[in-house]
Amino acid sequence: MNIGTASDRIGLPVKTIRYYEEIGLVRPARSENGYRDFEEADLQRLKFLQRSRSLGFSIEECRELLSLYEDRNRASADVKALTRAKILEVERKISELESLKRTLSDLVEACHGDARPECPIMDDLAGKKDPPSTD
Amino acid sequence: MNIGTASDRIGLPVKTIRYYEEIGLVRPARSENGYRDFEEADLQRLKFLQRSRSLGFSIEECRELLSLYEDRNRASADVKALTRAKILEVERKISELESLKRTLSDLVEACHGDARPECPIMDDLAGKKDPPSTD
DNA sequence: GCTTGACCTTCCAGTTGCTGGAGGCCCTAA
DNA sequence: TTAGGGCCTCCAGCAACTGGAAGGTCAAGC
């Protein structure tokens, strides 16, 4: 199967698939004409990558997950640990963003937002006193 | 004032300051020996950049904010609009992450996490049926 | 048999916002 | 005079692709 067909079947851009090959995440065979030749096992790997990437795993984490995936004797505890770590990371990001949002909202609250130039948001950015806390 | 001193005063790495100059966000004077020579107005801009970057504004947004900052006749409404847009963006990111977290948590829930190889997380990544919804 | 156009190949460059390092000048103090 | 720091520029690299150029391949239509 050519790369275009694989791309259609999986829903990953052609460029992305080539990139995944370049960094060693898939190793499709080659036809005589030099074209990549994907078989079902390759599609399976690509699907796996697509799903794990969409769940926020980094490329390196995907590499690790893939190798666990192909290890018939892996312990589910290992997979669970990786996933737990990812959840913590996501939670950290969320709380950072929450705090950012509070700060921005406070600033917006304080700004009359009309044609006049006076602006508490600008004052805060410029480092004037009494900025809303960023936590 | 040399770049090292400016860096200490503001708390931005020397490399970052040089980068900001490269992309035209600051334009410090030069001494005869070729060294950058920062004055208070430059520090002010750098502080402004530091704060707006820390609030999640992109470099291009910072450029826009800076030009508003230096426009004596700007309308506070413009600043407020930019900030509001940023809040929406932050909210979008938060809800994406929330949904991600739910999916990952569901997966972790379902996984016994012991030495056996059977693993619902892997099954989901591999595209087996009954995956927890990602929303 | 030839052309057209879709598809494939590789390689290089760009994205964002820096960061690290090499190689080399400048300045001050001992 | 030499050692050390600080400063300079330029190049490369991070993540994870994405776009484009230049060129080979293939199938269909005339």
Side-chain angles (χ1 to χ4, degrees), chain A residues 103-123:
Chain A
T103 307
L104 291 170
S105 300
D106 290 350
L107 285 169
V108 158
E109 280 294 300
C111 176
H112 44 71
D114 56 18
R116 287 173 294 161
E118 300 81 47
C119 178
I121 302 178
M122 277 299 173
D123 292 349

Side-chain angles (χ1 to χ4, degrees), chain A:
Chain A
M1 179 188 327
N2 282 349
I3 196 169
T5 315
S7 164
D8 290 345
R9 288 264 308 268
I10 302 297
L12 278 176
V14 165
K15 280 279 189 183
T16 303
I17 297 176
R18 282 201 270 254
Y19 173 67
Y20 286 170
E21 186 196 25
E22 192 189 322
I23 62 177
L25 289 178
V26 253
R27 306 179 189 286
R30 294 288 175 139
S31 313
E32 291 207 341
N33 59 12
Y35 288 15
R36 287 169 186 82
D37 183 16
F38 295 82
E39 41 189 287
E40 292 305 322
D42 298 314
L43 295 195
Q44 186 65 19
R45 287 180 75 97
L46 288 172
K47 258 186 232 158
F48 185 99
L49 286 166
Q50 181 186 37
R51 174 80 175 143
S52 40
R53 287 287 301 129
S54 83
L55 288 181
F57 290 97
S58 73
I59 289 286
E60 285 319 306
E61 285 162 341
C62 289
R63 201 188 293 279
E64 193 170 349
L65 284 168
L66 256 183
S67 85
L68 285 173
Y69 176 54
E70 273 155 12
D71 177 359
R72 292 290 93 206
N73 299 315
R74 66 157 184 248
S76 67
D78 292 343
V79 182
K80 193 167 182 170
L82 254 174
T83 310
R84 277 230 181 84
K86 185 50 63 174
I87 290 173
L88 287 178
E89 213 176 285
V90 168
E91 282 171 347
R92 256 197 315 279
K93 274 187 208 159
I94 289 173
S95 71
E96 263 175 45
L97 289 174
E98 293 284 14
S99 132
L100 208 53
K101 182 184 151 189
R102 270 195 302 281
T103 307
L104 291 170
S105 300
D106 290 350
L107 285 169
V108 158
E109 280 294 300
C111 176
H112 44 71
D114 56 18
R116 287 173 294 161
E118 300 81 47
C119 178
I121 302 178
M122 277 299 173
D123 292 349
D124 176 82
L125 292 177
K128 301 240 174 89
K129 48 207 51 90
D130 274 349
S133 93
T134 317
D135 281 13

